[in-house]
Amino acid sequence: MPKEINDDDIQNITENIDELEITAVSTQQSTPLVKTGSNPLRVILDGFMGKVVKAMTIFSLLLLVLIIIGLVLKSIPVLKDNPLSTLLFSSQWSPFKGEFGFLPFILSTVYVTLIAAVIAIPLSLFTAIYLSEYANKRFLKYAAPMLDILGGIPSVIYGIWGVLLIVPFVRDDFSAWLGVDSVSGYSILSGGVVLAVMVFPVVVQIVYEVLKTVPHELREATLSLGATKWETIKKVVIKRASPGIIAACILGFSRAFGETIAVLMVVGNVVQIPKGIFDEGYPIPALIANNYGEMMSIPMYDSALMFAALILLVIVLVFNVYARWVLNRIEKSIK
Amino acid sequence: MTSSTIKSHISIKDLNMHYGKNHALKNISINIPDKKLTAIIGPSGCGKTTLLKTFNRLIENVDGTNITGEVLVDGENIYGKNADVTNIRKKMGLLNQRPTPLPMSIYDNIAFGMSIHGIKQKGVLNEKVEHFLRVASLWDEVKDRLHSPAARLSIGQQQRLCLARGLAVEPEIILGDEPTSALDPISTKHIEQKFVELKEQYTIVMVTHILRQARRIADYVIFMYLGEIIEHGPTEMVLGNPQHQLTKDYVGGAIS
Amino acid sequence: MKKRKIEELIFNIIMRVSAFIIFGSLIAISATILIKGVPAMNLDMITKTPSGGFFLGKEGGILNAIIGSFYLSVGATIFALMICIPVVIYINVYASENSKIVHYTRLSLDILYGIPSIVFGAFGFVLMLFLGMHVSLLAGMITVGLLIIPIIARTMDEVMRQVPVELKEASYSLGATKWETASKVLLKQALPGLATASLLGLGRAIGDAASVMFTTGFTDNIPHSLQDPAATLPLAIFFQLSSPIAEVRDRAYAAALILTVIIFAISLISRILIKRFSKNTL
């Protein structure tokens, strides 16, 4: 446990330091050689700016709380009319009748994310290991900036790519390959694939960084026992890097969870619980984005959509808390 | 040199190593005697550690290195085309400057090397783990907590654990890269004593920058300067009656 | 013995294939945008606003969206910086290193970083209603600004932490106050890094579609005040792509090319800055 310090203590300490500085300034004052130190404006300005920057920090701390409060307040009407269990576990969705069952959307979100995880995690891990342990410098020189740039490409661009390449591929080639007929290509599979490609740069980069922090001596020690390079990686490097790797995956996928435009463009947007990977789905972010235009025209619809945003937020928060808990536990067990 | 009469375990012929544009090892040719303790000494940056790491080919993990020449271990060129690098490394235990416990329990640190080389039976493993921990004089200190993480040991204990781990794959050669430089005086003494005992059965090569350590425990000394071997021979000769001016300066403390 | 070698070989192949798939798909994206975008590109795209019948395939360009995105992202970045710089100064200079407020600020920035942009969009909408605002450039700037606060603040925080402690101490020992140390020494030293952080936020602001849907709206006109709604590039692409008319879809590809080029340019500039920054510190 870190030292128990509360804000008052800090306040006291900071004030003490300020006083110290004032005394320092006043000793200078008594020596005639130093003229500038006498200006108390500097000290006043320092104190004032200290308050300003602290206020901004508190605002940034409150931002998260404000977001939660804002969405909760807006969700209250729909929560009052419908029991929480109906909202979360019913699949009846007819806004005109006032029926809001979010299950199809929740499950679509989960499925798309899972498909993305199944594709992206192994590929990203192997690639990151390849980059950090096997690849030569020349390859790295091109690979690193490429990941950097592609990580910054807007999701709408990934969406276009999905529409042009992935959807036809799923419709014509992949379905035939699996012997499935008459699919549109707009499906949770396409959504998952596009999402996977979007998280590649994020996960590869973080895992690569994490692997680079594993000390060189550890690899040498293992190699000098006669282990092959792969054995060294599998049994020692990955183990040592595991907290960071898990964090990378969770970070990558809490981003994926809320990804909107790219997924919306390829996933089909049909309100149903997907039965297979070729079925259309309708993830929560797509629901919100597609219907914001009419949310004020149908009673309770705005509240329902804000509740949808709240669900997303809660899921992401749970992810984050869980990630931190896992990290702490693993760190403890290693150290 | 007198070493020609002594059986050599590692012999190096015309070894050159370039690191980028830097000529890091220059025309190294030397025989390392069998079942003796050889110390490589010299000012920092002279290529001591580099030379040591060419013995088990760890040096080639560094990008941009280029090696020519031969390193014969038991008569086989380890840089030859058919050389099996994992087998070569298994022959040589390595002790680094700082101990490098693997991220696992004390027990698994020792068992790890054996299990990758095919020893899987629990009974045999248990026996061997105890044996090698005893060899490294660590057994009594850790026998009650074999399954707690190795990183919890003190740094001196960790270094002895690393020694035990290296011995457990049954090498013939022990390489030490300033193995006591991170340790307190008592742990240093432990390791030095171990080395003196172990040289009955193993060929030991260690890099050190402490002249007195070389004097205390080494049978042979190799003095290096700027990537070249300047002088080598029995300890009492090189340190007691150096022939080359550079060696005299180094032993006399003029260069460091 | 043999089995170990084979295992090594198999995994080596798997790794190469993975890297090939990942880099291949990333190259495929760039190639797709180029192949589809270049033929559809023309001068009108970047010099004209949509004229009547634009969405039926008639004349015009997407100047409205280019300008709109520019205003929006610059405004949002400035708004975000007004909050991020004080926060970074507070947690790196004023507060003591292990205090709880520093810990929780970093934690909450990390969590905010993971919150999807659509949630920020929804919150921006709530905020807009609460403040009695309309769909406008200003509402968009605030929403996108909030979205990029965690990105900019965390990156800046990392940069500030790399500034050597000795520098801070040297400044204090000259009798400088905390504010003087922060504003005249630390910010100056970290300037290239801070610029990189801002560019990172700017890039994100230009590219994000989900958060602006609710708050910025869409219009064929170039906005003339903060109260006007504004078009943005990602939404222009999105709307045009869903059109059944081929000419309009082609324009979406050209717009995508424009957006991609802008993002490339931003990331190129920040790479140059990073290089110079690392030269300065070493």
Side-chain angles (χ1 to χ4, degrees):
Chain A
M1 277 296 290
K3 279 175 284 175
E4 298 257 340
I5 303 175
N6 58 39
D7 287 356
D8 291 349
D9 288 339
I10 302 154
Q11 193 68 44
N12 287 338
I13 293 165
T14 356
E15 276 166 16
N16 286 341
I17 293 169
D18 286 349
E19 278 169 26
L20 280 177
E21 279 169 1
I22 294 166
T23 41
V25 169
S26 54
T27 29
Q28 284 182 346
Q29 215 172 0
S30 60
T31 41
L33 279 175
V34 183
K35 285 184 250 166
T36 45
S38 60
N39 189 0
L41 255 178
R42 294 171 56 231
V43 180
I44 293 167
L45 178 72
D46 183 47
F48 173 70
M49 290 316 289
K51 298 226 158 56
V52 170
V53 296
K54 187 167 187 182
M56 286 300 184
T57 306
I58 289 167
F59 169 76
S60 79
L61 258 173
L62 284 181
L63 183 54
L64 184 60
V65 182
L66 283 178
I67 292 176
I68 298 171
I69 292 174
L71 294 181
V72 168
L73 283 179
K74 274 285 170 183
S75 311
I76 285 177
V78 79
L79 280 165
K80 262 188 183 159
D81 269 26
N82 305 274
L84 189 63
S85 57
T86 315
L87 287 174
L88 293 181
F89 303 117
S90 153
S91 48
Q92 289 303 313
W93 180 262
S94 22
F96 286 105
K97 292 189 212 150
E99 289 178 335
F100 299 103
F102 280 96
L103 192 64
F105 305 102
I106 294 173
L107 286 181
S108 292
T109 310
V110 171
Y111 291 161
V112 170
T113 312
L114 276 182
I115 292 171
V118 167
I119 299 169
I121 289 179
L123 286 176
S124 306
L125 283 187
F126 281 122
T127 302
I129 294 169
Y130 180 74
L131 291 180
S132 104
E133 312 292 323
Y134 289 91
N136 60 29
K137 267 197 182 143
R138 253 186 54 214
F139 184 66
L140 276 179
K141 223 175 111 188
Y142 294 106
M146 215 168 120
L147 285 174
D148 227 27
I149 292 170
L150 290 161
I153 284 191
S155 50
V156 70
I157 305 285
Y158 284 94
I160 292 185
W161 178 72
V163 170
L164 290 176
L165 247 73
I166 298 301
V167 169
F169 176 77
V170 167
R171 181 184 59 219
D172 303 330
D173 304 305
F174 195 69
S175 60
W177 195 45
L178 288 186
V180 186
D181 297 332
S182 66
V183 291
S184 68
Y186 291 93
S187 57
I188 55 169
L189 177 63
S190 301
V193 172
V194 170
L195 207 49
V197 175
M198 289 185 74
V199 298
F200 281 160
V202 184
V203 180
V204 171
Q205 260 178 332
I206 307 177
V207 175
Y208 174 79
E209 304 274 313
V210 171
L211 290 174
K212 278 289 164 202
T213 63
V214 175
H216 199 64
E217 291 77 23
L218 207 60
R219 292 188 180 89
E220 289 194 344
T222 317
L223 287 173
S224 66
L225 294 175
T228 62
K229 209 162 179 180
W230 172 246
E231 283 166 338
T232 306
I233 293 162
K234 182 174 69 173
K235 300 209 170 129
V236 175
V237 176
I238 292 181
K239 184 156 185 191
R240 174 70 180 253
S242 57
I245 292 174
I246 291 171
C249 293
I250 293 176
L251 200 72
F253 285 92
S254 69
R255 297 287 297 276
F257 229 89
E259 177 44 49
T260 310
I261 295 290
V263 177
L264 168 131
M265 289 162 83
V266 298
V267 82
N269 302 323
V270 174
V271 185
Q272 63 177 15
I273 293 173
K275 298 275 185 299
I277 55 172
F278 292 110
D279 280 2
E280 291 94 346
Y282 208 157
I284 301 172
L287 167 74
I288 305 171
N290 267 337
N291 297 290
Y292 77 101
E294 50 203 19
M295 74 181 160
M296 302 309 272
S297 348
I298 304 168
M300 207 61 91
Y301 206 22
D302 60 330
S303 181
L305 292 186
M306 291 304 142
F307 178 68
L310 184 64
I311 297 176
L312 266 187
L313 179 63
V314 168
I315 294 173
V316 170
L317 287 180
V318 169
F319 256 113
N320 266 286
V321 171
Y322 178 71
R324 268 155 217 292
W325 181 74
V326 169
L327 279 179
N328 278 341
R329 245 184 44 155
I330 294 173
E331 258 165 38
K332 263 183 208 153
S333 75
I334 284 180
K335 278 173 188 157
Chain B
M1 285 282 153
T2 48
S3 55
S4 58
T5 54
I6 291 168
K7 194 184 155 219
S8 69
H9 198 166
I10 306 175
S11 73
I12 299 160
K13 288 179 186 159
D14 303 322
L15 185 76
N16 277 284
M17 210 272 297
H18 290 263
Y19 175 65
K21 283 175 189 154
N22 185 6
H23 197 170
L25 293 178
K26 298 170 190 161
N27 302 318
I28 305 282
S29 287
I30 194 165
N31 294 321
I32 307 273
D34 191 22
K35 303 230 165 39
K36 298 282 182 213
L37 201 163
T38 304
I40 308 177
I41 60 169
S44 49
C46 69
K48 293 173 296 200
T49 300
T50 310
L51 179 61
L52 191 79
K53 287 187 177 169
T54 56
F55 294 172
N56 63 356
R57 290 181 54 175
L58 273 181
I59 201 73
E60 61 195 32
N61 286 344
V62 181
D63 269 326
T65 53
N66 183 18
I67 301 161
T68 57
E70 288 185 347
V71 176
L72 303 172
V73 176
D74 295 327
E76 186 204 351
N77 181 12
I78 63 166
Y79 286 96
K81 267 193 184 145
N82 298 321
D84 177 356
V85 69
T86 58
N87 235 354
I88 293 159
R89 289 184 182 141
K90 181 177 174 291
K91 272 190 189 169
M92 306 187 211
L94 174 74
L95 270 189
N96 258 314
Q97 292 188 9
R98 294 188 61 81
T100 48
L102 303 177
M104 42 185 90
S105 69
I106 295 170
Y107 181 94
D108 288 334
N109 256 277
I110 311 284
F112 175 76
M114 293 187 276
S115 73
I116 59 175
H117 293 296
I119 303 174
K120 306 268 182 195
Q121 306 94 310
K122 204 76 191 146
V124 182
L125 281 177
N126 287 342
E127 200 179 289
K128 293 215 169 196
V129 167
E130 178 175 346
H131 172 73
F132 288 107
L133 282 172
R134 281 190 193 282
V135 172
S137 323
L138 196 60
W139 174 253
D140 292 329
E141 292 162 58
V142 301
K143 63 182 177 204
D144 303 322
R145 47 172 172 152
L146 285 175
H147 294 284
S148 69
R152 290 208 192 127
L153 295 173
S154 78
I155 205 156
Q157 290 171 325
Q158 285 182 14
Q159 192 65 307
R160 275 180 283 148
L161 179 75
C162 292
L163 181 62
R165 183 182 68 197
L167 295 176
V169 293
E170 298 181 354
E172 301 159 12
I173 299 163
I174 299 171
L175 306 176
D177 181 11
E178 304 194 15
T180 61
S181 64
L183 305 184
D184 59 277
I186 295 169
S187 305
T188 301
K189 200 177 135 209
H190 272 296
I191 293 284
E192 284 186 6
Q193 278 174 350
K194 273 298 136 203
F195 271 24
V196 171
E197 283 170 42
L198 289 170
K199 73 180 183 192
E200 305 292 320
Q201 298 164 50
Y202 300 90
T203 300
I204 303 178
V205 186
M206 75 184 270
V207 167
T208 179
H209 63 275
I210 310 165
L211 272 179
R212 269 178 309 195
Q213 186 171 48
R215 211 166 255 149
R216 271 199 301 273
I217 59 174
D219 304 301
Y220 283 83
V221 168
I222 300 171
F223 172 64
M224 288 184 73
Y225 190 73
L226 298 178
E228 281 181 274
I229 294 183
I230 304 296
E231 197 166 345
H232 62 97
T235 309
E236 57 272 21
M237 266 180 64
V238 177
L239 298 183
N241 183 20
Q243 302 299 309
H244 198 285
Q245 187 56 41
L246 278 168
T247 324
K248 281 182 193 161
D249 289 349
Y250 184 71
V251 174
I255 45 175
S256 59
Chain C
M1 227 344 110
K2 257 228 157 134
K3 214 185 105 206
R4 296 170 58 207
K5 286 277 155 62
I6 292 168
E7 187 184 325
E8 167 123 39
L9 187 71
I10 289 172
F11 276 97
N12 204 310
I13 292 168
I14 293 177
M15 279 185 268
R16 281 165 191 270
V17 171
S18 307
F20 179 78
I21 293 175
I22 288 193
F23 286 101
S25 56
L26 296 177
I27 289 170
I29 290 171
S30 319
T32 309
I33 300 301
L34 272 180
I35 290 167
K36 284 284 186 178
V38 171
M41 203 49 208
N42 56 49
L43 201 61
D44 280 3
M45 282 297 290
I46 53 172
T47 54
K48 290 191 177 154
T49 55
S51 48
F54 178 74
F55 288 97
L56 297 170
K58 297 265 175 58
E59 302 207 323
I62 50 157
L63 185 65
N64 58 327
I66 297 175
I67 304 258
S69 266
F70 176 75
Y71 286 163
L72 178 81
S73 54
V74 170
T77 308
I78 292 171
F79 172 66
L81 284 177
M82 280 165 26
I83 293 168
C84 293
I85 293 177
V87 169
V88 171
I89 289 179
Y90 182 76
I91 58 181
N92 283 287
V93 181
Y94 278 88
S96 62
E97 177 61 25
N98 294 317
S99 68
K100 275 191 179 155
I101 186 165
V102 172
H103 175 76
Y104 284 120
T105 305
R106 289 201 173 115
L107 182 71
S108 92
L109 287 173
D110 277 348
I111 292 174
L112 284 172
Y113 186 82
I115 291 178
S117 64
I118 189 98
V119 174
F120 275 96
F123 173 69
F125 180 75
V126 174
L127 196 67
M128 198 174 80
L129 293 182
F130 180 75
L131 297 173
M133 290 163 72
H134 292 284
V135 168
S136 64
L137 196 52
L138 182 65
M141 283 175 184
I142 294 174
T143 308
V144 177
L146 295 179
L147 171 76
I148 61 177
I149 281 176
I151 302 169
I152 298 183
R154 279 307 259 141
T155 318
M156 282 191 172
D157 186 32
E158 290 301 319
V159 173
M160 288 288 262
R161 283 167 126 183
Q162 281 170 19
V163 176
V165 190
E166 291 79 8
L167 200 68
K168 232 199 280 189
E169 287 168 352
S171 170
Y172 288 147
S173 64
L174 292 172
T177 60
K178 289 190 170 188
W179 175 247
E180 287 162 344
T181 304
S183 60
K184 292 181 184 157
V185 180
L186 297 183
L187 283 185
K188 220 174 227 170
Q189 170 79 12
L191 198 62
L194 302 184
T196 310
S198 313
L199 284 176
L200 207 65
L202 185 74
R204 185 78 194 277
I206 290 183
D208 200 73
S211 63
V212 294
M213 282 188 155
F214 297 91
T215 48
T216 324
F218 198 85
T219 166
D220 288 350
N221 305 315
I222 293 170
H224 292 290
S225 86
L226 287 175
Q227 311 296 323
D228 289 349
T232 47
L233 272 173
L235 285 188
I237 296 167
F238 178 62
F239 290 143
Q240 292 175 40
L241 197 70
S242 46
S243 160
I245 301 161
E247 286 86 0
V248 180
R249 284 208 302 271
D250 279 348
R251 286 199 188 118
Y253 305 142
L257 182 64
I258 296 170
L259 180 57
T260 311
V261 168
I262 294 175
I263 297 287
F264 267 53
I266 292 176
S267 99
L268 197 71
I269 296 171
S270 50
R271 290 195 77 79
I272 293 170
L273 279 174
I274 288 172
K275 266 201 185 136
R276 287 185 61 179
F277 179 56
S278 48
K279 259 182 212 157
N280 281 349
T281 47
L282 286 176

